[in-house]
Amino acid sequence: MILKKLSLILSLIFLSIGLLGCQQSGKEKETNTKNVTSSPTKNMPKDMPSDFDFSIQFGVQKKNEINTFEGTVTKDLIADGTATTELILTEEEMKDIYENMQGINIAETKEFTPKPINGTACMQEPHGEDEWKIIINGETVKHLFSEEYCEPTNDAKQLIELRNYVFNIIKSKSEYKSLPESKGGYE
């Protein structure tokens, strides 16, 4: 219940940030947003637990999604909405992803808001957002961050690299390749 309330509050904070500023690419503005993360687990088990699953929603408006809970992937088609297909990762792929998560200890608290320089932080539009949900040994780890900052923190860079690693696995699959091409773009 507390995590749902926290998630709602954090979603409202990000919506407010988007509505109040960041209208031009590279615009400088003051920032006072806080770290947006939730992780009850500090240390990950050495071996991948049997209940390990994750979902990543990412991109502009988080319309792309990789969801191992449901065995699906959703692609943002931009002007044409979204397309979803069934896609199951192999046991070996899941182990590789788990090992990459261990490498950055995804279960620990992360810092996603860069320290302002002279009271300001460079912001950009449009920007993507990442929302992670990971189950490890019955515990849920969540991370939510925005790519609105021109210079992301090291923690944000690590999660972006991890997301790109997972997405490259997904893009190599015939199920993903069969989805329609995206049309249009975000400004």
Side-chain angles (χ1 to χ4, degrees):
M1 186 68 174
I2 292 173
L3 287 178
K4 285 184 180 181
K5 286 182 181 179
L6 179 61
S7 178
L8 177 61
I9 290 169
L10 295 175
S11 296
L12 291 173
I13 289 170
F14 275 106
L15 179 61
S16 298
I17 290 169
L19 293 174
L20 293 175
C22 311
Q23 298 300 318
Q24 297 174 336
S25 179
K27 181 178 178 182
E28 297 279 331
K29 74 171 242 177
E30 288 187 29
T31 181
N32 63 358
T33 58
K34 299 289 180 196
N35 180 31
V36 181
T37 187
S38 170
S39 69
T41 306
K42 295 294 181 203
N43 295 312
M44 296 175 66
K46 182 178 190 281
D47 295 322
M48 182 180 81
S50 61
D51 71 343
F52 171 65
D53 270 308
F54 64 92
S55 68
I56 315 164
Q57 293 176 303
F58 60 98
V60 176
Q61 300 175 6
K62 299 185 294 189
K63 290 184 179 179
N64 296 294
E65 181 180 30
I66 300 164
N67 187 326
T68 66
F69 297 100
E70 297 178 10
T72 59
V73 62
T74 301
K75 181 178 181 180
D76 182 5
L77 304 177
I78 306 171
D80 293 336
T82 60
T84 301
T85 190
E86 198 171 287
L87 194 147
I88 308 292
L89 293 171
T90 66
E91 182 78 12
E92 195 58 41
E93 290 166 334
M94 290 292 283
K95 284 181 180 177
D96 287 345
I97 292 166
Y98 184 80
E99 287 174 10
N100 276 277
M101 288 183 180
Q102 280 181 316
I104 63 170
N105 196 0
I106 201 161
E108 72 181 1
T109 300
K110 304 290 183 186
E111 181 61 53
F112 299 121
T113 305
K115 302 218 182 305
I117 300 171
N118 298 326
T120 63
C122 176
M123 311 292 269
Q124 58 192 356
E125 279 291 332
H127 63 270
E129 293 180 316
D130 281 34
E131 184 171 344
W132 290 75
K133 178 182 176 186
I134 306 144
I135 301 291
I136 302 170
N137 274 344
E139 294 188 40
T140 303
V141 176
K142 291 184 179 182
H143 294 293
L144 173 65
F145 69 93
S146 171
E147 293 181 358
E148 67 187 331
Y149 300 106
C150 299
E151 291 295 324
T153 66
N154 286 334
D155 288 339
K157 287 177 186 176
Q158 287 180 335
L159 275 149
I160 291 167
E161 287 175 17
L162 178 60
R163 181 238 304 145
N164 289 340
Y165 174 78
V166 174
F167 193 38
N168 283 331
I169 293 170
I170 298 298
K171 289 190 295 188
S172 72
K173 304 274 188 181
S174 61
E175 297 94 332
Y176 186 82
K177 290 177 182 179
S178 70
L179 293 172
E181 292 295 317
S182 300
K183 294 180 185 170
Y186 292 103
E187 295 180 22

